[in-house]
Amino acid sequence: MQQPNKMTSEMENPPQSGAKIYLRLLSYVGASWGYLLLSFIGYALYSSMEPALAALLKHIVDVVSDGKITESRILIPAAILGVFIVRGIGTFLGGYFMAQVANKVVFDLRTSMFNKMVQMPSSYFHSIPTGRLLAKLTYNTEQVIGSITQAIRIILREGLTVVGLLGYMIYMNWKLTLLFLLVIPLIGIIVSYASKRFRRLSARIQNAMGGVTDVASEAIKGHEVVKIFGGSEYEIERFRQAAQENRRSQLKMEKTRSLNIPIVQFILAFAMAILIWFALSPTISQHMTPGDFIAFLTAAGMLGKPIRQLTDVNSVLQKGIAASQSIFEFLDMSVEPDDGKILAQSLKGDIEWKDMSFSYPNAEKQALKKITLSLPAGKTLALVGRSGSGKSTMANLIPRFYNLDEGELNIDGVSISDYQLDSLRTNIALVNQQVVLFNGTIRENIAYGHLRDASDDQVIEAAKAANAWGFIKELDQGLATMVGENGVLLSGGQRQRIAIARAILKNAPILILDEATSALDTESERAIQMALDGLMENRTTIAIAHRLSTIENADIIAVVDHGEIIEQGSHTELLAMNGAYAQLHNQQFSETAD
Ligand SMILES: Nc1ncnc2c1ncn2[C@@H]1O[C@H](COP(=O)(O)OP(=O)(O)OP(=O)(O)O)[C@@H](O)[C@H]1O
Ligand SMILES: [Mg+2]
């Protein structure tokens, strides 16, 4: 099991700079520039109404102090209503179209991440816990949405408001405005300090979040094991630690933010105090009416909120940058290498291993050592041997789930790495040791992927050959029965037969059966075996089995031990050799005789 905070391999990539990441994020935003423009117009409307409010106030004060109330009694209230109507329209346009932009960005990020994910090499899926991957797709992209909407909204709306208000203040009294502006750099310094801290914390929170989902998803998937082995306390503790780490980081982040706000506010108040002190000096404000004076101070006061929000935008932005950093790192990872140029069109299925060795990424020991073997087209190879000897590894190298280290693996005389990957795989049907079913109907599971357009008759025929039709037809919904996540609504043997039917339907020249009938009773196994025998006749088959009785008829039987082939030959030849195979055979034979 993974430690909650274990760094994953992608963390080792050199970190990109914040500006670079933000620019890249902006390129996603730029794709919906139309909505962005509408949103901009909305916010421009909104912010233009702020100085309008200050100007209205000036008007009211001047009217009252001049005693000319009557003419303005209708006009001023109407203007106030007008201002708020325009402001409301602005708020709606700005907010709605910004949400359009943000959701489009998240949609684009998610889909490109998923597209990437299905192309990742098998070794990647083994190197990263599922929860971490899912957190990237969900939590991290949500963080990006927050960054986009909030940050751009604040920058546009509050930024424009600041521009509008400052413009109005300069228009009223530029000297006073200049004084006010002298304080702004001070605010900038404090903000840049806080933002650095935020970015570090955000990255930590995301790691901690990944930890939370890792532990949870493992406990969910393994709930039966957790229960029967009394693992709940251990899992609870593990989850508590991950959640605790998350909580600590969140609190730290909040502390920095909460301190940031009052400090910025105080600086603003300080600026206001200085401003009023100067404003009260007769030389600066001699030409100002009481209305001018009030309106100026009001505008300066109204600057407080947008400036505060603009400084806070950094934390939002940094969160988003931290989230998109890990997304972009993921998007930049290299996918399964596919340099092969040769299109594998209907291969014959001549398979040849020459001194082939392989070790799993990050593994110390070689999983396969100097395998030399040749399997002529249409023949059957059975791999037998102890658990962990390397049989599944040998099978998984044929569809190139992993790349070879040394030696050759040729099909029809061409190295498998010279074939174009997709075309190679269309020639191979595989029944995994761990059956994989998708949450859909039985029909969808048999006719999966490229097979999706198969007719009902073809699907039924494949189900019959896999000895599955008997149980399928007794189900109320037949082929339309839902199988549940990974087929939990079916029995282990039923699942296996669905997987076999899928492989049969594929009708590929190379068939790999990795313990394909291990979950079946002897009778069902025999029935399938007969169907499979027919199926194997004109295709190259690699069958892996622990029950030797199922592979006795194989053309070649190879005994794998510690990653090496220690014996090969037909059943009778191997028995006559009286070596490892004979020993295995005698063991099983005496067991069944008991
Ligand atoms: N993804 C992996 N990463 C690293 N090592 C692996 C991986 N999968 C398998 N191994 C190692 O490779 C060796 C061979 O495993 P393999 O699955 O091929 O055995 P097997 O012969 O199919 O065993 P079984 O009969 O139990 O299915 C084992 O020692 C195993 O620990
Ligand atoms: Mg295996």
Coordinates of all heavy atoms in Angstrom, one line a residue, residues 49 60 94 116 125 127 156 172 225 234 285 317 328 340 381 389 393 415 431 451 497 500 508 533 551 570 582:
M49 N -20.4 52.0 -13.1 CA -21.4 52.5 -12.2 C -20.9 53.0 -10.8 O -21.6 53.6 -10.1 CB -22.5 51.5 -12.0 CG -23.4 51.3 -13.3 SD -24.2 52.8 -13.9 CE -23.2 53.2 -15.3
I60 N -26.1 65.2 -4.9 CA -27.0 65.3 -3.8 C -26.5 66.4 -2.8 O -27.2 67.3 -2.4 CB -27.2 64.0 -3.1 CG1 -27.9 63.0 -4.1 CG2 -28.1 64.1 -1.9 CD1 -28.0 61.6 -3.6
G94 N -21.4 39.6 -16.7 CA -20.1 39.3 -16.4 C -20.0 37.9 -15.7 O -19.2 37.1 -16.2
K116 N -5.4 11.6 -22.5 CA -4.0 11.2 -22.2 C -3.9 9.9 -21.4 O -3.1 9.1 -21.6 CB -3.4 12.4 -21.4 CG -2.0 12.2 -21.0 CD -1.2 12.8 -22.2 CE 0.3 12.6 -21.9 NZ 1.1 13.3 -22.9
F125 N 0.2 3.2 -14.8 CA -0.9 2.9 -13.9 C -0.4 2.1 -12.7 O -1.1 2.1 -11.6 CB -1.9 2.0 -14.7 CG -2.6 2.8 -15.8 CD1 -2.2 2.7 -17.1 CD2 -3.6 3.8 -15.5 CE1 -2.8 3.4 -18.1 CE2 -4.2 4.5 -16.5 CZ -3.8 4.3 -17.8
S127 N 2.4 2.8 -11.2 CA 3.2 3.7 -10.4 C 2.4 4.7 -9.6 O 3.0 5.4 -8.8 CB 4.2 4.4 -11.3 OG 3.6 5.4 -12.1
L156 N -10.9 41.6 -13.7 CA -11.7 42.4 -14.6 C -12.5 43.4 -13.9 O -12.4 44.6 -14.0 CB -12.6 41.5 -15.5 CG -11.9 40.8 -16.7 CD1 -13.0 40.1 -17.5 CD2 -11.2 41.8 -17.5
M172 N -11.3 64.8 -10.4 CA -11.7 65.7 -9.3 C -10.6 66.5 -8.8 O -10.7 67.7 -8.5 CB -12.4 65.0 -8.2 CG -13.6 64.2 -8.6 SD -15.0 65.2 -8.9 CE -15.5 65.8 -7.3
V225 N -11.9 -7.4 2.2 CA -10.7 -7.8 2.9 C -10.5 -7.0 4.2 O -10.1 -7.5 5.2 CB -9.5 -7.5 2.0 CG1 -8.2 -7.8 2.7 CG2 -9.6 -8.3 0.7
Y234 N -6.9 0.0 11.2 CA -5.7 0.4 10.5 C -6.1 1.4 9.4 O -5.5 2.5 9.3 CB -5.0 -0.8 9.8 CG -3.9 -0.5 8.9 CD1 -2.7 0.0 9.4 CD2 -4.1 -0.6 7.5 CE1 -1.6 0.3 8.6 CE2 -3.0 -0.3 6.7 CZ -1.8 0.2 7.2 OH -0.8 0.5 6.3
S285 N -7.4 71.9 -1.2 CA -8.8 71.7 -1.6 C -9.6 73.1 -1.7 O -10.8 73.1 -1.4 CB -9.5 70.8 -0.5 OG -9.1 71.3 0.8
L317 N -5.4 32.7 -7.3 CA -4.6 32.5 -8.5 C -3.5 31.4 -8.2 O -3.3 30.5 -9.0 CB -3.9 33.8 -8.8 CG -3.6 34.1 -10.3 CD1 -5.0 34.1 -11.0 CD2 -3.0 35.4 -10.4
F328 N -0.7 20.0 -15.8 CA 0.1 20.2 -17.0 C 1.3 19.2 -17.0 O 1.7 18.7 -18.0 CB 0.6 21.6 -17.1 CG -0.5 22.6 -17.5 CD1 -0.5 23.9 -17.0 CD2 -1.5 22.2 -18.4 CE1 -1.5 24.8 -17.3 CE2 -2.5 23.1 -18.7 CZ -2.5 24.4 -18.2
G340 N 6.5 2.2 -34.2 CA 6.4 1.2 -35.3 C 5.7 1.8 -36.5 O 4.7 2.5 -36.4
L381 N 0.7 -22.9 -27.6 CA 1.8 -23.0 -26.6 C 1.1 -22.9 -25.2 O 0.3 -22.0 -25.0 CB 2.7 -21.8 -26.8 CG 3.7 -21.5 -25.6 CD1 4.8 -22.6 -25.6 CD2 4.4 -20.1 -25.8
S389 N 6.4 -17.1 -11.6 CA 7.5 -17.5 -12.4 C 7.7 -16.6 -13.6 O 8.8 -16.5 -14.2 CB 7.4 -18.9 -12.8 OG 6.2 -19.2 -13.4
T393 N 3.7 -12.3 -17.4 CA 4.6 -11.3 -18.0 C 4.9 -11.6 -19.4 O 4.9 -10.8 -20.3 CB 5.9 -11.3 -17.2 OG1 5.6 -11.1 -15.8 CG2 6.8 -10.1 -17.6
S415 N 9.9 -7.7 -35.8 CA 9.9 -7.3 -34.4 C 8.6 -6.6 -34.0 O 8.2 -5.7 -34.7 CB 11.1 -6.4 -34.1 OG 10.9 -5.8 -32.8
V431 N -7.6 -12.9 -22.8 CA -8.4 -13.1 -21.6 C -7.5 -13.0 -20.4 O -6.6 -13.8 -20.2 CB -9.2 -14.4 -21.5 CG1 -10.0 -14.5 -20.3 CG2 -10.1 -14.6 -22.8
L451 N -15.4 -4.1 -31.3 CA -16.4 -5.1 -31.6 C -17.8 -4.6 -31.4 O -18.8 -5.3 -31.6 CB -16.3 -6.3 -30.6 CG -14.9 -6.9 -30.5 CD1 -14.8 -7.9 -29.4 CD2 -14.5 -7.6 -31.8
R497 N -16.5 -16.3 -18.2 CA -17.1 -16.8 -19.5 C -17.4 -15.6 -20.4 O -17.3 -15.7 -21.6 CB -18.3 -17.7 -19.2 CG -17.8 -19.1 -18.8 CD -19.0 -20.0 -18.5 NE -19.4 -19.8 -17.1 CZ -20.5 -20.3 -16.6 NH1 -21.3 -21.1 -17.4 NH2 -20.9 -20.1 -15.4
I500 N -14.3 -14.6 -21.9 CA -13.9 -15.5 -23.0 C -14.7 -15.2 -24.2 O -14.2 -15.2 -25.4 CB -14.1 -17.0 -22.5 CG1 -13.0 -17.3 -21.4 CG2 -13.8 -18.0 -23.7 CD1 -13.2 -18.7 -20.8
A508 N -9.4 -13.0 -33.4 CA -8.1 -12.5 -33.8 C -7.2 -13.7 -34.1 O -7.4 -14.8 -33.5 CB -7.5 -11.6 -32.7
D533 N -11.0 -25.6 -28.1 CA -10.2 -26.4 -29.0 C -10.5 -26.1 -30.4 O -9.6 -26.0 -31.3 CB -10.4 -27.9 -28.7 CG -9.7 -28.4 -27.4 OD1 -8.8 -27.6 -27.0 OD2 -10.0 -29.4 -26.9
I551 N -4.2 -28.5 -20.6 CA -3.3 -28.1 -21.6 C -2.5 -29.3 -22.2 O -1.6 -29.1 -23.0 CB -2.3 -27.0 -21.1 CG1 -1.6 -27.4 -19.8 CG2 -3.0 -25.7 -21.0 CD1 -0.3 -28.0 -19.9
S570 N 6.3 -31.6 -26.1 CA 4.9 -32.0 -26.0 C 4.7 -32.7 -24.7 O 5.7 -33.0 -24.0 CB 4.6 -32.9 -27.1 OG 5.2 -34.1 -26.9
A582 N 7.1 -33.4 -15.4 CA 6.6 -34.7 -14.9 C 6.3 -34.7 -13.4 O 5.3 -35.2 -13.0 CB 7.7 -35.8 -15.2

